[in-house]
Structures are given as structure tokens and as C-alpha cells.
Amino acid sequence: MTRRADVPAAKRPLLQRLGWLVLIWSASVLTLAAVAWLLRQFMRAAGLSAP
């Protein structure tokens, strides 16, 4: 019996590979949004808000 790690990526179902792509992309977008929000909060607290 082969382990999951032994199966080449090209042999895995397309839907599974696309699912991982969407999951990683979503996580990176959400992380970037969280960092931008935190920076905005720090700037607002320091009195650097835009008009």
C-alpha cells in the first residue's frame, strides 16, 4: 500500500489540487487583509489617520 505522500501530484484528482490552490490563496489573502487592518489600527492610534 502506498502512502499519500508517495503519490505524485499529477496523479491526484484535479478537484483536490484545485481545492488546495484555493485554500492557500484564500489564506494568503485573509492574512494580508489582517495585517493591513492591524497597520491601519496602529496608525489611527498614533494619530496618522487620513482625512
Side-chain angles (χ1 to χ4, degrees):
M1 181 173 203
T2 59
R3 294 180 309 163
R4 196 91 173 140
D6 294 338
V7 178
K11 298 279 186 186
R12 293 186 185 151
L14 178 63
L15 191 58
Q16 182 183 13
R17 289 183 283 153
L18 287 176
W20 276 108
L21 176 70
V22 169
L23 180 70
I24 292 169
W25 176 79
S26 299
S28 66
V29 169
L30 288 174
T31 302
L32 181 61
V35 169
W37 181 80
L38 281 172
L39 285 172
R40 198 171 293 152
Q41 296 306 311
F42 284 129
M43 289 174 67
R44 187 173 294 145
L48 298 173
S49 61

